[in-house]
């Protein structure tokens, strides 16, 4: 993917400020769509319903791709199964939709079906995570800077615990997803050269249930020698809370917890002192994705990427922000 157009805006609580820098142009134009009053039929291939973030993202997308906004939305949630998601995209192609929106579960394996969409002259717009396929196979991507999210989380751990021997465990997101890969890369860079030792790092697949199970294993193996937990999303951190308490330890005190997303349940745990720091990953992408789809279908050029900037919260900031949070 070309250098991302990092945009000057900043994420407001519950809202998204987006600006674009320059125009990569070159968006695909669909055969079927176009015309101001024509209803645009969009196939949306969502990952599934694995987390609170995903629910908020799905709600944002369904609100934006409403009939009132000129869309006919065909929605598919792939239950976090990459092969089911590829089948959903192929089904949209066979139905002859005007455009496809894809939130890819994993980064690899998309070249063939995206080539089929291009051959059928159906533009694909990515939202949320990214793909490794050549960028001429999709018109644009609306998402977040996962590496920066990981760096922000890692910098907080380094600043607060990096100068003394500290044992860390990591609950990784879905293996092969750009969110997990890039967050890990950013976090690891930020803690390099500090006194932080990674005892273990395993995937909890972005879910509460798996986050709890993996944390139970960490506690059986390392017990109270664990000082800090980094979870790639709030939901795995929330699952870990149960395991930590069952082990007779106090989350947020005996084991410090840093996560990413800032969904309501995560922010509540942070305000209650069970989490210590959260880096936001704004799920409210629907309006921007719908705007991009309309432009592409109308044959207008669009940027290759639109990045939503995130913010971060400590416990006091979470208490202040919670009343106004939209997700
Ligand atoms: C991030 C998104 C991740 C969230 C998880 O943009 O892809 O997937 O961090 C979600 O909560 O499951």
């Amino acid at each position: 993917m070309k250098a991302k157009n990092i945009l000057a805006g900043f994420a407001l609580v519950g809202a998204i400020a987006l600006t674009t820098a320059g125009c990569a142009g070159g968006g695909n134009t669909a055969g079927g769509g176009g015309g101001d009053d024509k209803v645009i039929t969009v196939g949306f291939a969502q990952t599934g319903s694995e987390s609170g973030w995903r629910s908020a993202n799905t709600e944002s997308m369904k609100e934006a791709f409403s009939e009132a906004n000129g869309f006919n939305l065909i929605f598919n949630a792939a239950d976090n199964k990459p092969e089911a998601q590829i089948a959903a995209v192929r089904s949209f192609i066979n139905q002859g939709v005007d455009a496809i929106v894809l939130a890819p579960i994993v980064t690899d394996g998309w070249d063939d079906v995206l080539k089929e969409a291009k051959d059928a002259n159906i533009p694909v717009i990515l939202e949320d995570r990214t793909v490794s396929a050549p960028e001429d196979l999709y018109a644009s991507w609306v998402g977040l800077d996962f590496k920066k999210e990981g760096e922000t989380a890692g910098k907080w751990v380094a600043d607060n615990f990096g100068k003394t021997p500290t044992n860390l465990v990591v609950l990784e997101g879905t293996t092969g997803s750009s969110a997990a890969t890039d967050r890990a890369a950013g976090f690891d860079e930020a803690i390099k050269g500090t006194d932080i030792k990674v005892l273990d790092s395993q995937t909890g697949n972005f879910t509460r249930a798996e986050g709890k199970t993996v944390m139970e294993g960490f506690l059986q193996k390392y017990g109270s020698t664990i000082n800090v937990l980094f979870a790639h999303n709030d939901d795995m951190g929330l699952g870990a809370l149960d395991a930590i308490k069952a082990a007779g330890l106090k989350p947020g005190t005996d084991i410090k917890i840093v996560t990413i997303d800032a969904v309501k349940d995560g922010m509540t745990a942070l305000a209650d002192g069970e989490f210590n720091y959260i880096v936001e990953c704004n799920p409210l992408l629907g309006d921007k994705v719908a705007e991009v789809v309309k432009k592409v279908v109308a044959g207008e050029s669009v940027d290759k990427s639109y990045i939503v900037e995130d913010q971060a919260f400590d416990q006091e900031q979470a208490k202040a922000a919670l009343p106004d949070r939209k997700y």
Side-chain angles (χ1 to χ4, degrees), residues 50-51 53-54 128-129 144 146 179 183 206 232-233 235 260-261 281:
E50 73 279 1
S51 65
W53 189 97
R54 190 62 55 193
D128 181 22
R129 303 174 192 172
L144 305 109
F146 300 132
R183 285 172 182 170
F206 283 132
H232 284 188
N233 80 331
D235 282 67
I260 297 176
D261 274 354
C281 176

Side-chain angles (χ1 to χ4, degrees), residues 80-94:
N80 241 11
K81 296 184 176 75
E83 65 283 355
Q85 197 174 36
I86 291 172
V89 171
R90 195 157 275 134
S91 163
F92 295 149
I93 295 169
N94 295 336

Side-chain angles (χ1 to χ4, degrees), residues 51 53 146-157 161 168-173 179 183-184 187 206-208 211 215 228-241 244 251-252 255-271 273-282 310-315 318 325 327:
S51 65
W53 189 97
F146 300 132
K147 187 169 185 212
K148 189 174 175 187
E149 292 168 354
E151 280 166 0
T152 306
K155 186 176 181 314
W156 181 84
V157 175
F161 308 104
L168 171 86
V169 291
V170 181
L171 292 171
E172 300 169 8
R183 285 172 182 170
F187 185 90
F206 283 132
T207 68
R208 291 194 191 202
M215 191 66 197
V228 180
L229 163 65
F230 168 42
H232 284 188
N233 80 331
D234 292 354
D235 282 67
M236 293 189 291
L238 292 164
L241 290 183
I244 292 168
I255 297 180
K256 303 289 194 270
I257 301 176
V258 54
T259 68
I260 297 176
D261 274 354
V263 295
K264 192 151 282 184
D265 289 350
M267 290 288 274
T268 302
L270 180 60
E274 294 191 318
F275 283 179
N276 299 87
Y277 193 67
I278 300 185
V279 179
E280 182 183 52
C281 176
N282 200 320
D310 292 312
Q311 52 187 318
F313 302 90
D314 62 22
Q315 290 171 348
R325 297 285 294 170
Y327 60 90

Side-chain angles (χ1 to χ4, degrees), residues 111-131:
D111 296 41
D112 292 346
V113 75
L114 292 183
K115 181 82 174 60
E116 291 166 32
K118 188 177 177 84
D119 292 345
N121 197 22
I122 298 176
V124 175
I125 291 86
L126 303 177
E127 72 105 13
D128 181 22
R129 303 174 192 172
T130 54
V131 298

Side-chain angles (χ1 to χ4, degrees), residues 16-314:
I16 297 179
L18 273 169
T19 57
T20 61
C23 197
N28 302 356
T29 52
D36 290 342
D37 53 354
K38 179 185 180 299
V39 172
I40 301 173
T41 297
V42 172
F44 174 33
Q46 181 59 294
T47 61
S49 53
E50 73 279 1
S51 65
W53 189 97
R54 190 62 55 193
S55 304
N57 179 250
T58 293
E59 187 180 340
S60 169
M61 294 290 286
K62 285 183 174 177
E63 276 176 14
F65 285 89
S66 65
E67 273 183 49
N69 288 344
F71 293 100
N72 166 35
L73 182 71
I74 308 170
F75 175 76
N76 177 280
D79 193 22
N80 241 11
K81 296 184 176 75
E83 65 283 355
Q85 197 174 36
I86 291 172
V89 171
R90 195 157 275 134
S91 163
F92 295 149
I93 295 169
N94 295 336
Q95 293 175 64
V97 297
D98 297 315
I100 292 168
V101 175
L102 168 65
I105 298 168
V106 292
T107 307
D108 298 335
W110 288 103
D111 296 41
D112 292 346
V113 75
L114 292 183
K115 181 82 174 60
E116 291 166 32
K118 188 177 177 84
D119 292 345
N121 197 22
I122 298 176
V124 175
I125 291 86
L126 303 177
E127 72 105 13
D128 181 22
R129 303 174 192 172
T130 54
V131 298
S132 58
E135 62 179 39
D136 68 317
L137 294 182
Y138 56 88
S140 188
W141 165 68
V142 178
L144 305 109
D145 189 339
F146 300 132
K147 187 169 185 212
K148 189 174 175 187
E149 292 168 354
E151 280 166 0
T152 306
K155 186 176 181 314
W156 181 84
V157 175
D159 291 348
N160 287 279
F161 308 104
K163 298 179 181 61
T164 54
T166 299
N167 291 328
L168 171 86
V169 291
V170 181
L171 292 171
E172 300 169 8
T174 300
T175 304
S177 68
S178 58
T181 304
D182 293 353
R183 285 172 182 170
F187 185 90
D188 291 349
E189 253 175 52
I191 66 168
K192 208 174 279 176
T194 68
D195 222 348
I196 294 158
K197 181 184 176 193
V198 180
L199 294 178
D200 217 327
S201 184
Q202 287 177 38
T203 183
N205 216 11
F206 283 132
T207 68
R208 291 194 191 202
E210 293 172 76
K212 179 182 177 187
T213 302
V214 174
M215 191 66 197
E216 284 167 346
F218 287 161
L219 288 160
Q220 278 162 9
K221 199 167 176 185
Y222 308 105
S224 59
T225 67
I226 298 170
N227 306 118
V228 180
L229 163 65
F230 168 42
H232 284 188
N233 80 331
D234 292 354
D235 282 67
M236 293 189 291
L238 292 164
L241 290 183
D242 296 340
I244 292 168
K245 292 173 186 172
L249 297 170
K250 195 169 178 355
T253 304
D254 299 327
I255 297 180
K256 303 289 194 270
I257 301 176
V258 54
T259 68
I260 297 176
D261 274 354
V263 295
K264 192 151 282 184
D265 289 350
M267 290 288 274
T268 302
L270 180 60
D272 293 347
E274 294 191 318
F275 283 179
N276 299 87
Y277 193 67
I278 300 185
V279 179
E280 182 183 52
C281 176
N282 200 320
L284 306 184
L285 305 177
D287 288 343
K288 190 61 186 178
V289 179
E291 179 195 316
V292 171
V293 166
K294 283 195 172 178
K295 283 185 173 179
V296 170
V297 167
E300 296 170 24
S301 68
V302 293
D303 286 0
K304 203 64 190 173
S305 65
Y306 297 87
I307 300 215
V308 175
E309 294 217 9
D310 292 312
Q311 52 187 318
F313 302 90
D314 62 22

